[in-house]
Amino acid sequence: MKKNIYIYCFLFFIITHPLLAQDVSLFQQFNGRYDYTAIGNTMNTEENGTSGPCTILNSSSANLTLDSNQNVIAAYLYWAGSGYGDFNISINDIAIVAERTFNDSLDTERVFFAAFADITTIITNQGNSEYTISNFDLSSVIDPYCPTGTNFGGWAITVIYEDENLPLNQLNVYDGLQSVPDFLSITLENLDVLDNENAKIGFIAWEGDSAIAVNEQLTINGTVISNYPLNPANNAFNGTNSFTGESNLYNMDIDVYSIQNHINIGDTSATIALTSGQDFVMINNVITVLNSQLPDATITLEGDTVNCGDQTIQVFYTVHNNNSTANLPANTPIAFYSNGILIGTSETVNIIPINGNESSFILLNLPEDSGSITTITAVVDDDGTSIGVVTETNESNNSAFRDIELLLVPEITILPNLIGCNEGFKIATYNLLDAIDTNTYNIDNISFYRSLDDLEMGFNAILMPTDYNNVSNTETIYVRLLTSSCYEIFQFNLTIENCPPYIPQGFSPNNDTKNDWFNIQGLYDIFTDHELQIYNRYGELIFIGNNNKPWYGKINRGLNNRGNIVPVGTYYYILNLNDQNYQPFMGWVYVNY
């Protein structure tokens, strides 16, 4: 139900509202030794009118004849007619589908269409030949148009060619669909008039009637132009082809006019105007051919080199001078921007000839806040202030951009401290590989540094990480772990703690000055808050000692035998260092004499 309502509303809209025209504007520009010709034909059997037959053809033909030195560069097919459009036709039995469409209307009842297709390949392959447009059938459409003489159909092919005998020209192709009566004004932009000699302008127009010439004039820059006898000043659109001399193209025109005396050197635009007191005429295509000798600087970004953790990138670029009619001067400036901020400038070195190029590279320092992906924009003919110094055939095609992914180093990962053992918190020996999981990472990709600057530059790596003596307490060590495209950074500290005491398994308290006491090394001067407990084999506590009271084998606990030497045998100890880094030590010691 919703679909049906939508179709109804759409049909209501197009029936009750005239179609809006499309302004004629620049479609394509050619710079070089170029000119053009055009052929075409009508589908009308005679000029339309209220008393003529209401019939129309579905095919017609025209011949293309180029000189041997005229090489096809582009060929564009335009076709038009009454109604909403037939956008699937054939040329020499090759199916053509409209690539762009246009529309216009007199009122809600009389609407018209035009269509475009690029047929360069077809014209290049078939060359000079008869071209037949077929399957272009408006017979079911034109009946409502015939009583008012607005029934028509036709087609035209514009062929742009290169000829080395021609001067250097700028050829602009404009298209759209705009109509009169009563008055139509079109401003043609993107002109560069270096020399107005042999300057010309051409039109493809539809629905002009040779029998209707009420106040019909064509002007350029305010001056009436004509091409007598094909196109008199008071009847510009009258069914003719200026290239072939035909005058029976009913309701269509392929006209070309000299404007040598109507345009001035230095002009960058021209205004054409058409007045018509009665005849309905639609302009579909306009072509200008003007002598021009200007370069056209363009730039392409060819590649880049990005280093891990480095904000300096190398960008490779090529400056071109294609689609031009003069050399590009040496020292043409180039500006480079990162996300809209100027980050570097350069310039061309040599004169770049027509269709030539020059490649180079530049080192660019990116802002620190560029992020992981930055957009580099290169603009040729830009002095860094968005101002150019070279006049070109096209001033709007000077830039190129490239998204570059930087190899950013992740945030530093903090690892647990690596603890060394040394009496007095001095120098200790470490195996730095103990700080990182070598089962997860390839040991060949790991290197250690004393400073972050050394790590980032890859200088002064620690040569023997498995046997490393610290230089301070505490000392920070940095780890560089190579990855597939960059590296990661780890950080840990080397710290020194008191070594755990060495507890002997026996002593002989016999006063021979040799091994006379329970000499626990690294205890009395280091762990000064320790407590030592001694138990006999029955689990009875017989001695408690501390930093000031080592055990010489005598009993100082219990009701009996205090002050006596213990008999030969095995005794058990609990040594509490009262240090948060160590749990109590428990074991046995053998006393002998």
Side-chain angles (χ1 to χ4, degrees), residues 392-413:
E392 305 174 61
T393 59
N394 188 345
E395 299 286 359
S396 62
N397 63 350
N398 296 114
S399 63
F401 71 92
R402 183 179 181 88
D403 289 333
I404 297 178
E405 184 174 1
L406 302 182
L407 299 178
L408 300 182
V409 178
E411 294 292 328
I412 296 176
T413 300

Side-chain angles (χ1 to χ4, degrees), residues 1-9:
M1 178 62 72
K2 289 184 178 180
K3 183 177 180 180
N4 293 336
I5 294 174
Y6 172 81
I7 294 174
Y8 172 79
C9 293

Side-chain angles (χ1 to χ4, degrees), residues 369 411 516:
D369 59 351
E411 294 292 328
D516 283 336

Side-chain angles (χ1 to χ4, degrees), residues 328-580:
L328 181 67
N331 308 121
T332 298
I334 310 166
F336 295 86
Y337 300 87
S338 171
N339 299 327
I341 300 173
L342 179 69
I343 57 171
T345 59
S346 183
E347 62 182 21
T348 59
V349 177
N350 305 301
I351 295 173
I352 302 178
I354 296 172
N355 294 323
N357 61 73
E358 177 183 286
S359 297
S360 188
F361 68 89
I362 187 173
L363 293 176
L364 300 172
N365 294 314
L366 298 177
E368 291 295 330
D369 59 351
S370 295
S372 60
I373 297 179
T374 185
T375 300
I376 299 297
T377 302
V379 186
V380 63
D381 193 24
D382 180 349
D383 64 1
T385 64
S386 300
I387 296 177
V389 299
V390 179
T391 302
E392 305 174 61
T393 59
N394 188 345
E395 299 286 359
S396 62
N397 63 350
N398 296 114
S399 63
F401 71 92
R402 183 179 181 88
D403 289 333
I404 297 178
E405 184 174 1
L406 302 182
L407 299 178
L408 300 182
V409 178
E411 294 292 328
I412 296 176
T413 300
I414 305 298
L415 299 175
N417 293 348
L418 202 59
I419 301 174
C421 168
N422 183 274
E423 296 180 9
F425 300 95
K426 298 178 182 178
I427 296 174
T429 300
Y430 302 84
N431 181 352
L432 301 183
L433 291 172
D434 291 341
I436 193 165
D437 186 359
T438 54
N439 292 323
T440 302
Y441 307 113
N442 188 334
I443 192 172
D444 294 333
N445 295 332
I446 300 172
S447 53
F448 298 88
Y449 299 85
R450 293 183 181 90
S451 75
L452 191 56
D453 287 341
D454 283 351
L455 180 147
E456 291 174 345
M457 299 182 68
F459 293 160
N460 302 320
I462 296 174
L463 298 180
M464 296 186 65
T466 57
D467 188 23
Y468 177 73
N469 292 328
N470 63 301
V471 297
S472 64
N473 184 25
T474 302
E475 181 179 4
T476 301
I477 299 295
Y478 299 92
V479 186
R480 177 173 174 145
L481 174 65
L482 294 179
T483 60
S484 59
S485 61
C486 194
Y487 60 84
E488 297 179 41
I489 300 177
F490 298 87
Q491 173 186 324
F492 63 92
N493 290 334
L494 299 181
T495 62
I496 298 176
E497 294 181 355
N498 290 314
C499 298
Y502 172 74
I503 304 174
Q505 291 186 323
F507 69 99
S508 58
N510 57 10
N511 294 318
D512 63 358
T513 69
K514 298 177 181 179
N515 200 24
D516 283 336
W517 59 291
F518 192 15
N519 184 9
I520 302 175
Q521 298 174 22
L523 175 63
Y524 294 95
D525 294 331
I526 307 301
F527 299 98
T528 57
D529 293 330
H530 75 270
E531 181 183 78
L532 176 64
Q533 298 175 8
I534 303 296
Y535 296 84
N536 63 20
R537 62 180 179 171
Y538 303 109
E540 296 171 339
L541 178 65
I542 63 173
F543 178 82
I544 295 178
N546 54 38
N547 199 58
N548 298 317
K549 187 184 298 183
W551 190 38
Y552 284 91
K554 292 183 179 182
I555 299 171
N556 69 0
R557 286 291 183 271
L559 297 176
N560 301 313
N561 301 320
R562 284 196 179 197
N564 294 333
I565 298 292
V566 297
V568 172
T570 300
Y571 295 87
Y572 301 91
Y573 64 82
I574 296 176
L575 175 60
N576 187 354
L577 300 179
N578 289 317
D579 187 313
Q580 64 180 358

Side-chain angles (χ1 to χ4, degrees), residues 154-179:
W155 59 274
I157 300 173
T158 61
V159 179
I160 293 91
Y161 60 81
E162 183 178 30
D163 186 340
E164 291 301 320
N165 298 316
L166 290 171
L168 291 167
N169 293 324
Q170 180 189 83
L171 188 152
N172 285 343
V173 179
Y174 305 83
D175 61 21
L177 196 63
Q178 291 181 262
S179 60

